[in-house]
Amino acid sequence: RRQLGERMARKNDWITQINQALEIADFEEGLRLLAPAVEEFPDDNEFAEIRIYIRQHRELAEQAEKLIREGRRCLDEGEIARGLEKLRAAYEIGSKVKRAKPELVEGLLRAARASQSDPPQARVYLQEILNLDSGNHAATGLLRFLDDQAEYQQVDEAISQARQLRTNNDLSGAISLLERACTEYPRNARLRQMLREMDASRNELRT
């Protein structure tokens, strides 16, 4: 019984070491550890199953690594859609490839930066990043930049239209337009300043 207990302890030790290697997707180390374990326990079904598992997942890892290389090459050549397709495929099959997720995130970030002239598309890429990594600072920072850019452009347009309405003697229309814009961007100093000026002009006309 004592010998059996010692034997089981050695087996459990082998399994622990092998599992630690597999947890970090180090399949070569897993196979290296498996060899002496199988030599010590040649008829053990559990070690036979582990060997099958390692071989299957090593093949998947090799496929994922190939897709990652191809995806990065496509991105470098400006083929964004094809590059992301490769990286997404690597992420889907490469659950045991730790770098598949960061490679996809980095690829999406590159795509978003390249698409800043098309903010809706850039936002799609950034949202995909946040679905993968909700705390990604680069993605949230670029989203804030796009939001600020959109606000600046829309405020510019609102102020320009308000000035045109005032020029056309439609002060009430100009004020209404600015009030709607302030509802959307309540903290925008340019809008508040312009609205104050328009209100002051209206009050002067009333007196």
Short mmCIF file of all heavy atoms in Angstrom, two decimals, residues 154-155 158-159 175-188 191:
data_model
loop_
_atom_site.label_atom_id
_atom_site.label_comp_id
_atom_site.label_asym_id
_atom_site.label_seq_id
_atom_site.Cartn_x
_atom_site.Cartn_y
_atom_site.Cartn_z
N GLN A 154 -19.22 69.25 -35.34
CA GLN A 154 -20.64 69.55 -35.24
C GLN A 154 -20.88 70.91 -34.60
O GLN A 154 -21.81 71.63 -34.98
CB GLN A 154 -21.35 68.44 -34.47
CG GLN A 154 -21.40 67.13 -35.24
CD GLN A 154 -22.08 66.02 -34.47
OE1 GLN A 154 -23.06 66.26 -33.78
NE2 GLN A 154 -21.58 64.80 -34.60
N VAL A 155 -20.05 71.27 -33.63
CA VAL A 155 -20.17 72.59 -33.00
C VAL A 155 -19.83 73.67 -34.02
O VAL A 155 -20.51 74.71 -34.10
CB VAL A 155 -19.26 72.69 -31.76
CG1 VAL A 155 -19.13 74.13 -31.29
CG2 VAL A 155 -19.82 71.82 -30.64
N ALA A 158 -22.81 74.06 -36.21
CA ALA A 158 -23.92 74.72 -35.53
C ALA A 158 -23.68 76.21 -35.41
O ALA A 158 -24.58 77.03 -35.65
CB ALA A 158 -24.13 74.10 -34.15
N ILE A 159 -22.46 76.59 -35.04
CA ILE A 159 -22.14 78.02 -34.90
C ILE A 159 -22.23 78.73 -36.24
O ILE A 159 -22.75 79.85 -36.35
CB ILE A 159 -20.75 78.18 -34.26
CG1 ILE A 159 -20.81 77.77 -32.78
CG2 ILE A 159 -20.25 79.61 -34.39
CD1 ILE A 159 -19.46 77.78 -32.07
N ILE A 175 -30.97 81.14 -32.05
CA ILE A 175 -30.93 80.76 -30.63
C ILE A 175 -31.48 79.36 -30.43
O ILE A 175 -30.92 78.56 -29.67
CB ILE A 175 -31.72 81.79 -29.79
CG1 ILE A 175 -30.94 83.12 -29.75
CG2 ILE A 175 -31.95 81.27 -28.38
CD1 ILE A 175 -31.70 84.25 -29.11
N SER A 176 -32.56 79.03 -31.13
CA SER A 176 -33.13 77.67 -31.02
C SER A 176 -32.12 76.62 -31.48
O SER A 176 -31.97 75.56 -30.85
CB SER A 176 -34.41 77.56 -31.86
OG SER A 176 -35.42 78.41 -31.35
N LEU A 177 -31.43 76.92 -32.56
CA LEU A 177 -30.42 75.99 -33.07
C LEU A 177 -29.31 75.79 -32.04
O LEU A 177 -28.88 74.65 -31.77
CB LEU A 177 -29.86 76.51 -34.39
CG LEU A 177 -28.89 75.59 -35.15
CD1 LEU A 177 -28.99 75.86 -36.65
CD2 LEU A 177 -27.45 75.77 -34.70
N LEU A 178 -28.85 76.88 -31.44
CA LEU A 178 -27.78 76.79 -30.45
C LEU A 178 -28.24 76.06 -29.19
O LEU A 178 -27.47 75.31 -28.57
CB LEU A 178 -27.27 78.18 -30.09
CG LEU A 178 -26.47 78.89 -31.19
CD1 LEU A 178 -26.21 80.35 -30.80
CD2 LEU A 178 -25.16 78.17 -31.47
N GLU A 179 -29.49 76.27 -28.81
CA GLU A 179 -30.01 75.56 -27.63
C GLU A 179 -30.06 74.06 -27.86
O GLU A 179 -29.75 73.28 -26.95
CB GLU A 179 -31.41 76.10 -27.29
CG GLU A 179 -31.38 77.48 -26.66
CD GLU A 179 -32.75 78.07 -26.46
OE1 GLU A 179 -33.72 77.59 -27.10
OE2 GLU A 179 -32.88 79.00 -25.66
N ARG A 180 -30.44 73.66 -29.08
CA ARG A 180 -30.44 72.22 -29.39
C ARG A 180 -29.02 71.66 -29.36
O ARG A 180 -28.78 70.56 -28.86
CB ARG A 180 -31.08 71.97 -30.77
CG ARG A 180 -32.57 72.21 -30.81
CD ARG A 180 -33.19 71.61 -32.07
NE ARG A 180 -32.63 72.19 -33.29
CZ ARG A 180 -33.09 73.30 -33.88
NH1 ARG A 180 -34.12 73.97 -33.32
NH2 ARG A 180 -32.55 73.74 -34.99
N ALA A 181 -28.09 72.43 -29.88
CA ALA A 181 -26.69 71.98 -29.87
C ALA A 181 -26.16 71.90 -28.45
O ALA A 181 -25.41 70.97 -28.10
CB ALA A 181 -25.83 72.94 -30.70
N CYS A 182 -26.57 72.85 -27.59
CA CYS A 182 -26.13 72.81 -26.19
C CYS A 182 -26.72 71.62 -25.44
O CYS A 182 -26.12 71.11 -24.49
CB CYS A 182 -26.54 74.11 -25.49
SG CYS A 182 -25.45 75.50 -25.86
N THR A 183 -27.90 71.19 -25.86
CA THR A 183 -28.49 70.00 -25.25
C THR A 183 -27.63 68.77 -25.54
O THR A 183 -27.45 67.90 -24.68
CB THR A 183 -29.92 69.78 -25.79
OG1 THR A 183 -30.72 70.92 -25.46
CG2 THR A 183 -30.54 68.53 -25.18
N GLU A 184 -27.08 68.71 -26.75
CA GLU A 184 -26.23 67.58 -27.14
C GLU A 184 -24.84 67.70 -26.54
O GLU A 184 -24.23 66.70 -26.14
CB GLU A 184 -26.13 67.49 -28.66
CG GLU A 184 -25.40 66.26 -29.14
CD GLU A 184 -25.54 66.05 -30.64
OE1 GLU A 184 -26.25 66.83 -31.30
OE2 GLU A 184 -24.93 65.08 -31.14
N TYR A 185 -24.33 68.94 -26.47
CA TYR A 185 -22.98 69.18 -25.93
C TYR A 185 -23.07 70.24 -24.83
O TYR A 185 -22.64 71.39 -25.03
CB TYR A 185 -22.02 69.63 -27.03
CG TYR A 185 -21.88 68.64 -28.16
CD1 TYR A 185 -22.40 68.92 -29.43
CD2 TYR A 185 -21.23 67.43 -27.96
CE1 TYR A 185 -22.26 68.01 -30.47
CE2 TYR A 185 -21.09 66.51 -28.98
CZ TYR A 185 -21.62 66.81 -30.24
OH TYR A 185 -21.48 65.90 -31.26
N PRO A 186 -23.62 69.88 -23.68
CA PRO A 186 -23.91 70.88 -22.63
C PRO A 186 -22.66 71.55 -22.03
O PRO A 186 -22.77 72.62 -21.45
CB PRO A 186 -24.67 70.08 -21.58
CG PRO A 186 -24.25 68.65 -21.80
CD PRO A 186 -24.04 68.52 -23.28
N ARG A 187 -21.50 70.90 -22.17
CA ARG A 187 -20.29 71.47 -21.57
C ARG A 187 -19.40 72.19 -22.57
O ARG A 187 -18.29 72.58 -22.23
CB ARG A 187 -19.50 70.37 -20.85
CG ARG A 187 -20.20 69.82 -19.62
CD ARG A 187 -19.41 68.72 -18.95
NE ARG A 187 -19.33 67.51 -19.78
CZ ARG A 187 -18.74 66.39 -19.42
NH1 ARG A 187 -18.14 66.31 -18.25
NH2 ARG A 187 -18.73 65.33 -20.21
N ASN A 188 -19.89 72.38 -23.77
CA ASN A 188 -19.05 73.01 -24.79
C ASN A 188 -19.03 74.53 -24.59
O ASN A 188 -20.06 75.20 -24.70
CB ASN A 188 -19.57 72.68 -26.19
CG ASN A 188 -18.60 73.12 -27.26
OD1 ASN A 188 -18.57 74.28 -27.64
ND2 ASN A 188 -17.80 72.17 -27.76
N LEU A 191 -20.17 76.88 -27.61
CA LEU A 191 -21.62 76.97 -27.79
C LEU A 191 -22.25 77.87 -26.74
O LEU A 191 -23.11 78.71 -27.06
CB LEU A 191 -22.26 75.57 -27.71
CG LEU A 191 -22.10 74.66 -28.93
CD1 LEU A 191 -22.66 73.28 -28.63
CD2 LEU A 191 -22.82 75.27 -30.15
#
